[in-house]
Amino acid sequence: MSQNGIPSVNLADFLSEDPARKQKFVNEIGKAYEEIGFVALKGHFLSDELVDNLYNSVRQFYALPTETKQSYIVEGIGGQRGYTAFGNEHAKGSKVGDLKEFWHFGQYVSEEEKAKYNYPENISVTEVPAFTEYGEETYKQLEKTGVYVLRALAIFLGLNEFYFDDKVKNGNSILRAIHYPPITEEPKEGAVRAGAHGDINLITLLMGAQGRGLQVQRHDGTWVDAIAEDDELVINVGDMLSRHTNNRLKSTIHRVVNPDRELWGSSRFSIPFFMHPVSEMDLSVLEDCIDENNPKQYEDITAGDFLTQRLREIGLIK
């Protein structure tokens, strides 16, 4: 158990040659995702050096003049790449914009495969080349970590260990570098750094949950702080995985609350990796997750159609 009620697991157990240790990890993460939908994970593939380098470059990018950052807004793609300005995104069902600005890195596919996936190009920041470089490396290491987490969940669900591998290979995953700027005036009623929401994707791997702010809603409705150790990622279930497992693995509502007034002058940075499958993945409820106590709860849909529907609901696609 980590310091605040979110279970802590170590990927080294899963990667070990010892079947009992591997199964221990599977049981621990599966139980956590059935009960609260969040874990803190040690043993991932990000080095301390890479994390430090990325955060330094993120700070450099957000310190650029507003007009420079705005030159990296890419029109017509719903914010999938490049910069999204402060207040543009809101939680599903909320009319108030979140108090944040962010940048998106997307999938890196080979030249030969670009036409097949038709993803927007990643954007390079000429003023801070390190941001582009460390963003790509972080994307790849978080994607690698996520593949192993999904393998553990596949075993937990009674599927082939590699069930998710081909579904997330070249998937539509997004690395988001978020800046919550200092709060300089009383926020509009209801405006918080990130409104209460569930994530859209399969799983989210979050860097930067070391300070207070991120809160998770337990199934009894109470909110608990999710604070990771320095060497941990916070990983949660998204709506796609919840839907695919008929809510056996639970997508948990979470939010980023505003700090106490004396801390309004400080920025907060966090970097989530939203792990998405390829658009054609069938998200229909798994047969083994349906029984008389838990009848099928969701209509059949592909990942691509579900994503489009949700991006409309949060204001990124008009």
Side-chain angles (χ1 to χ4, degrees), residues 139-174:
Y139 185 106
K140 290 175 176 172
Q141 297 304 332
L142 287 172
E143 184 174 51
K144 181 179 173 185
T145 302
V147 166
Y148 284 105
V149 170
L150 288 171
R151 285 179 183 174
L153 294 176
I155 295 170
F156 183 75
L157 292 165
L159 303 167
N160 178 296
E161 178 177 344
F162 306 103
Y163 170 81
F164 289 104
D165 278 34
D166 63 335
K167 297 169 179 64
V168 294
K169 184 178 190 305
N170 289 335
N172 195 14
S173 300
I174 292 283

Short mmCIF file of all heavy atoms in Angstrom, two decimals, residues 139-174:
data_model
loop_
_atom_site.label_atom_id
_atom_site.label_comp_id
_atom_site.label_asym_id
_atom_site.label_seq_id
_atom_site.Cartn_x
_atom_site.Cartn_y
_atom_site.Cartn_z
N TYR A 139 7.62 8.99 -24.29
CA TYR A 139 6.48 8.33 -24.94
C TYR A 139 6.77 6.83 -25.10
O TYR A 139 5.97 5.97 -24.74
CB TYR A 139 6.22 8.99 -26.30
CG TYR A 139 4.99 8.50 -27.04
CD1 TYR A 139 3.86 9.29 -27.11
CD2 TYR A 139 4.96 7.25 -27.68
CE1 TYR A 139 2.73 8.86 -27.80
CE2 TYR A 139 3.84 6.82 -28.36
CZ TYR A 139 2.72 7.63 -28.42
OH TYR A 139 1.59 7.19 -29.09
N LYS A 140 7.94 6.53 -25.64
CA LYS A 140 8.27 5.13 -25.95
C LYS A 140 8.44 4.29 -24.68
O LYS A 140 8.02 3.12 -24.64
CB LYS A 140 9.52 5.08 -26.84
CG LYS A 140 9.20 5.60 -28.24
CD LYS A 140 10.41 5.69 -29.15
CE LYS A 140 9.96 6.13 -30.55
NZ LYS A 140 11.10 6.40 -31.43
N GLN A 141 9.02 4.88 -23.65
CA GLN A 141 9.23 4.11 -22.41
C GLN A 141 7.92 3.89 -21.65
O GLN A 141 7.71 2.84 -21.03
CB GLN A 141 10.26 4.81 -21.52
CG GLN A 141 11.66 4.92 -22.12
CD GLN A 141 12.26 3.58 -22.52
OE1 GLN A 141 11.95 2.53 -21.96
NE2 GLN A 141 13.11 3.60 -23.54
N LEU A 142 7.04 4.86 -21.69
CA LEU A 142 5.73 4.69 -21.04
C LEU A 142 4.87 3.69 -21.82
O LEU A 142 4.15 2.88 -21.23
CB LEU A 142 5.02 6.04 -20.90
CG LEU A 142 5.60 6.95 -19.83
CD1 LEU A 142 4.96 8.34 -19.90
CD2 LEU A 142 5.41 6.37 -18.43
N GLU A 143 4.97 3.74 -23.14
CA GLU A 143 4.22 2.77 -23.96
C GLU A 143 4.70 1.34 -23.64
O GLU A 143 3.88 0.42 -23.46
CB GLU A 143 4.44 3.09 -25.44
CG GLU A 143 3.62 2.20 -26.38
CD GLU A 143 3.75 2.66 -27.82
OE1 GLU A 143 4.90 2.85 -28.31
OE2 GLU A 143 2.72 2.83 -28.48
N LYS A 144 6.01 1.18 -23.53
CA LYS A 144 6.58 -0.14 -23.19
C LYS A 144 6.08 -0.60 -21.82
O LYS A 144 5.68 -1.77 -21.64
CB LYS A 144 8.11 -0.02 -23.20
CG LYS A 144 8.86 -1.30 -22.90
CD LYS A 144 10.38 -1.04 -22.97
CE LYS A 144 11.17 -2.24 -22.50
NZ LYS A 144 12.62 -1.95 -22.47
N THR A 145 6.08 0.31 -20.84
CA THR A 145 5.57 -0.02 -19.51
C THR A 145 4.11 -0.45 -19.58
O THR A 145 3.70 -1.45 -18.97
CB THR A 145 5.71 1.20 -18.57
OG1 THR A 145 7.09 1.61 -18.51
CG2 THR A 145 5.23 0.89 -17.17
N GLY A 146 3.32 0.32 -20.34
CA GLY A 146 1.89 0.03 -20.46
C GLY A 146 1.59 -1.33 -21.07
O GLY A 146 0.63 -2.01 -20.68
N VAL A 147 2.42 -1.76 -22.03
CA VAL A 147 2.22 -3.08 -22.64
C VAL A 147 2.30 -4.17 -21.58
O VAL A 147 1.48 -5.10 -21.55
CB VAL A 147 3.26 -3.32 -23.77
CG1 VAL A 147 3.29 -4.78 -24.18
CG2 VAL A 147 2.94 -2.44 -24.98
N TYR A 148 3.27 -4.06 -20.66
CA TYR A 148 3.41 -5.09 -19.61
C TYR A 148 2.25 -5.05 -18.61
O TYR A 148 1.78 -6.09 -18.15
CB TYR A 148 4.75 -4.94 -18.89
CG TYR A 148 5.90 -5.45 -19.72
CD1 TYR A 148 6.77 -4.57 -20.35
CD2 TYR A 148 6.12 -6.82 -19.89
CE1 TYR A 148 7.83 -5.04 -21.13
CE2 TYR A 148 7.17 -7.29 -20.67
CZ TYR A 148 8.02 -6.40 -21.28
OH TYR A 148 9.06 -6.86 -22.06
N VAL A 149 1.78 -3.85 -18.30
CA VAL A 149 0.62 -3.74 -17.41
C VAL A 149 -0.60 -4.42 -18.05
O VAL A 149 -1.33 -5.18 -17.41
CB VAL A 149 0.32 -2.26 -17.08
CG1 VAL A 149 -1.03 -2.12 -16.37
CG2 VAL A 149 1.44 -1.67 -16.23
N LEU A 150 -0.79 -4.19 -19.34
CA LEU A 150 -1.92 -4.81 -20.04
C LEU A 150 -1.75 -6.33 -20.14
O LEU A 150 -2.74 -7.07 -20.09
CB LEU A 150 -2.09 -4.20 -21.44
CG LEU A 150 -2.64 -2.76 -21.44
CD1 LEU A 150 -2.55 -2.17 -22.85
CD2 LEU A 150 -4.08 -2.72 -20.95
N ARG A 151 -0.51 -6.80 -20.25
CA ARG A 151 -0.29 -8.26 -20.25
C ARG A 151 -0.72 -8.85 -18.91
O ARG A 151 -1.36 -9.91 -18.87
CB ARG A 151 1.18 -8.57 -20.53
CG ARG A 151 1.56 -8.37 -21.98
CD ARG A 151 3.03 -8.67 -22.23
NE ARG A 151 3.39 -8.39 -23.62
CZ ARG A 151 4.62 -8.45 -24.10
NH1 ARG A 151 5.63 -8.78 -23.30
NH2 ARG A 151 4.86 -8.18 -25.37
N ALA A 152 -0.39 -8.17 -17.82
CA ALA A 152 -0.80 -8.66 -16.50
C ALA A 152 -2.32 -8.68 -16.39
O ALA A 152 -2.91 -9.63 -15.85
CB ALA A 152 -0.20 -7.77 -15.41
N LEU A 153 -2.96 -7.64 -16.91
CA LEU A 153 -4.42 -7.58 -16.83
C LEU A 153 -5.07 -8.64 -17.71
O LEU A 153 -6.12 -9.20 -17.35
CB LEU A 153 -4.91 -6.18 -17.21
CG LEU A 153 -4.48 -5.07 -16.23
CD1 LEU A 153 -4.93 -3.71 -16.74
CD2 LEU A 153 -5.03 -5.33 -14.83
N ALA A 154 -4.45 -8.93 -18.85
CA ALA A 154 -4.98 -10.00 -19.72
C ALA A 154 -4.98 -11.33 -18.96
O ALA A 154 -5.97 -12.08 -18.99
CB ALA A 154 -4.15 -10.09 -21.00
N ILE A 155 -3.88 -11.63 -18.26
CA ILE A 155 -3.82 -12.87 -17.47
C ILE A 155 -4.89 -12.85 -16.39
O ILE A 155 -5.62 -13.83 -16.19
CB ILE A 155 -2.41 -13.03 -16.84
CG1 ILE A 155 -1.35 -13.21 -17.92
CG2 ILE A 155 -2.40 -14.21 -15.87
CD1 ILE A 155 0.09 -13.14 -17.40
N PHE A 156 -5.03 -11.73 -15.71
CA PHE A 156 -6.03 -11.60 -14.65
C PHE A 156 -7.44 -11.87 -15.18
O PHE A 156 -8.27 -12.47 -14.49
CB PHE A 156 -5.96 -10.20 -14.04
CG PHE A 156 -6.90 -9.99 -12.89
CD1 PHE A 156 -6.64 -10.55 -11.64
CD2 PHE A 156 -8.07 -9.25 -13.05
CE1 PHE A 156 -7.52 -10.37 -10.58
CE2 PHE A 156 -8.95 -9.06 -12.00
CZ PHE A 156 -8.67 -9.62 -10.76
N LEU A 157 -7.70 -11.43 -16.41
CA LEU A 157 -9.03 -11.60 -17.01
C LEU A 157 -9.23 -12.97 -17.64
O LEU A 157 -10.30 -13.26 -18.19
CB LEU A 157 -9.25 -10.51 -18.08
CG LEU A 157 -9.37 -9.08 -17.57
CD1 LEU A 157 -9.21 -8.09 -18.72
CD2 LEU A 157 -10.70 -8.86 -16.85
N GLY A 158 -8.19 -13.82 -17.58
CA GLY A 158 -8.31 -15.15 -18.18
C GLY A 158 -8.11 -15.17 -19.68
O GLY A 158 -8.46 -16.14 -20.36
N LEU A 159 -7.52 -14.10 -20.22
CA LEU A 159 -7.23 -14.03 -21.65
C LEU A 159 -5.79 -14.48 -21.90
O LEU A 159 -5.01 -14.63 -20.97
CB LEU A 159 -7.39 -12.58 -22.14
CG LEU A 159 -8.74 -11.90 -21.89
CD1 LEU A 159 -8.64 -10.40 -22.13
CD2 LEU A 159 -9.80 -12.51 -22.81
N ASN A 160 -5.45 -14.66 -23.17
CA ASN A 160 -4.05 -14.89 -23.53
C ASN A 160 -3.22 -13.69 -23.06
O ASN A 160 -3.65 -12.53 -23.21
CB ASN A 160 -3.97 -15.02 -25.06
CG ASN A 160 -2.56 -15.21 -25.56
OD1 ASN A 160 -1.70 -14.34 -25.41
ND2 ASN A 160 -2.30 -16.33 -26.16
N GLU A 161 -2.03 -13.95 -22.49
CA GLU A 161 -1.20 -12.86 -21.96
C GLU A 161 -0.98 -11.74 -22.98
O GLU A 161 -0.91 -10.56 -22.62
CB GLU A 161 0.16 -13.42 -21.51
CG GLU A 161 1.10 -12.35 -20.99
CD GLU A 161 2.44 -12.90 -20.48
OE1 GLU A 161 2.54 -14.13 -20.23
OE2 GLU A 161 3.37 -12.09 -20.31
N PHE A 162 -0.90 -12.09 -24.25
CA PHE A 162 -0.54 -11.11 -25.28
C PHE A 162 -1.78 -10.58 -26.02
O PHE A 162 -1.67 -9.99 -27.10
CB PHE A 162 0.46 -11.73 -26.26
CG PHE A 162 1.66 -12.30 -25.54
CD1 PHE A 162 1.79 -13.67 -25.34
CD2 PHE A 162 2.63 -11.45 -25.00
CE1 PHE A 162 2.88 -14.19 -24.63
CE2 PHE A 162 3.72 -11.96 -24.30
CZ PHE A 162 3.84 -13.33 -24.12
N TYR A 163 -2.94 -10.76 -25.42
CA TYR A 163 -4.22 -10.35 -26.04
C TYR A 163 -4.19 -8.90 -26.51
O TYR A 163 -4.67 -8.58 -27.60
CB TYR A 163 -5.36 -10.56 -25.03
CG TYR A 163 -6.69 -9.96 -25.44
CD1 TYR A 163 -7.54 -10.63 -26.32
CD2 TYR A 163 -7.10 -8.71 -24.96
CE1 TYR A 163 -8.75 -10.08 -26.70
CE2 TYR A 163 -8.31 -8.15 -25.34
CZ TYR A 163 -9.13 -8.84 -26.21
OH TYR A 163 -10.33 -8.29 -26.60
N PHE A 164 -3.64 -7.99 -25.69
CA PHE A 164 -3.70 -6.56 -26.03
C PHE A 164 -2.55 -6.11 -26.94
O PHE A 164 -2.59 -4.99 -27.46
CB PHE A 164 -3.65 -5.70 -24.74
CG PHE A 164 -4.91 -5.76 -23.92
CD1 PHE A 164 -4.95 -6.52 -22.76
CD2 PHE A 164 -6.06 -5.07 -24.30
CE1 PHE A 164 -6.11 -6.58 -21.99
CE2 PHE A 164 -7.22 -5.11 -23.54
CZ PHE A 164 -7.25 -5.88 -22.37
N ASP A 165 -1.51 -6.95 -27.09
CA ASP A 165 -0.29 -6.49 -27.78
C ASP A 165 -0.56 -5.90 -29.17
O ASP A 165 -0.14 -4.78 -29.48
CB ASP A 165 0.72 -7.63 -27.93
CG ASP A 165 1.55 -7.84 -26.66
OD1 ASP A 165 1.00 -7.65 -25.55
OD2 ASP A 165 2.73 -8.22 -26.78
N ASP A 166 -1.28 -6.64 -30.01
CA ASP A 166 -1.49 -6.15 -31.38
C ASP A 166 -2.53 -5.03 -31.42
O ASP A 166 -2.60 -4.28 -32.39
CB ASP A 166 -1.89 -7.29 -32.32
CG ASP A 166 -3.22 -7.93 -31.94
OD1 ASP A 166 -3.61 -7.85 -30.76
OD2 ASP A 166 -3.89 -8.51 -32.82
N LYS A 167 -3.31 -4.90 -30.35
CA LYS A 167 -4.33 -3.84 -30.32
C LYS A 167 -3.72 -2.49 -29.94
O LYS A 167 -4.23 -1.44 -30.32
CB LYS A 167 -5.45 -4.22 -29.34
CG LYS A 167 -6.19 -5.48 -29.80
CD LYS A 167 -7.11 -6.04 -28.73
CE LYS A 167 -7.83 -7.28 -29.22
NZ LYS A 167 -6.92 -8.42 -29.52
N VAL A 168 -2.61 -2.52 -29.17
CA VAL A 168 -1.97 -1.24 -28.80
C VAL A 168 -0.73 -0.93 -29.63
O VAL A 168 -0.22 0.19 -29.57
CB VAL A 168 -1.62 -1.19 -27.29
CG1 VAL A 168 -2.90 -1.19 -26.45
CG2 VAL A 168 -0.70 -2.31 -26.87
N LYS A 169 -0.26 -1.91 -30.42
CA LYS A 169 0.91 -1.63 -31.28
C LYS A 169 0.52 -0.54 -32.29
O LYS A 169 -0.48 -0.67 -32.99
CB LYS A 169 1.33 -2.90 -32.02
CG LYS A 169 2.60 -2.69 -32.84
CD LYS A 169 3.03 -3.98 -33.53
CE LYS A 169 4.40 -3.87 -34.16
NZ LYS A 169 4.58 -2.79 -35.10
N ASN A 170 1.28 0.54 -32.31
CA ASN A 170 0.96 1.71 -33.14
C ASN A 170 -0.41 2.30 -32.79
O ASN A 170 -1.06 2.91 -33.64
CB ASN A 170 1.03 1.38 -34.63
CG ASN A 170 2.46 1.17 -35.09
OD1 ASN A 170 3.39 1.69 -34.49
ND2 ASN A 170 2.64 0.41 -36.16
N GLY A 171 -0.85 2.11 -31.54
CA GLY A 171 -2.14 2.66 -31.12
C GLY A 171 -2.12 4.18 -31.06
O GLY A 171 -1.07 4.82 -31.14
N ASN A 172 -3.31 4.73 -30.91
CA ASN A 172 -3.50 6.18 -30.99
C ASN A 172 -3.20 6.86 -29.64
O ASN A 172 -3.92 7.74 -29.20
CB ASN A 172 -4.95 6.44 -31.42
CG ASN A 172 -5.18 7.86 -31.90
OD1 ASN A 172 -4.23 8.59 -32.16
ND2 ASN A 172 -6.44 8.23 -32.03
N SER A 173 -2.12 6.41 -28.98
CA SER A 173 -1.79 6.90 -27.63
C SER A 173 -1.26 8.34 -27.67
O SER A 173 -0.70 8.77 -28.68
CB SER A 173 -0.75 5.99 -26.98
OG SER A 173 -1.25 4.67 -26.87
N ILE A 174 -1.46 9.02 -26.55
CA ILE A 174 -1.09 10.45 -26.44
C ILE A 174 -0.28 10.65 -25.17
O ILE A 174 -0.66 10.18 -24.10
CB ILE A 174 -2.37 11.31 -26.35
CG1 ILE A 174 -3.17 11.30 -27.67
CG2 ILE A 174 -2.05 12.74 -25.92
CD1 ILE A 174 -2.62 12.17 -28.76
#
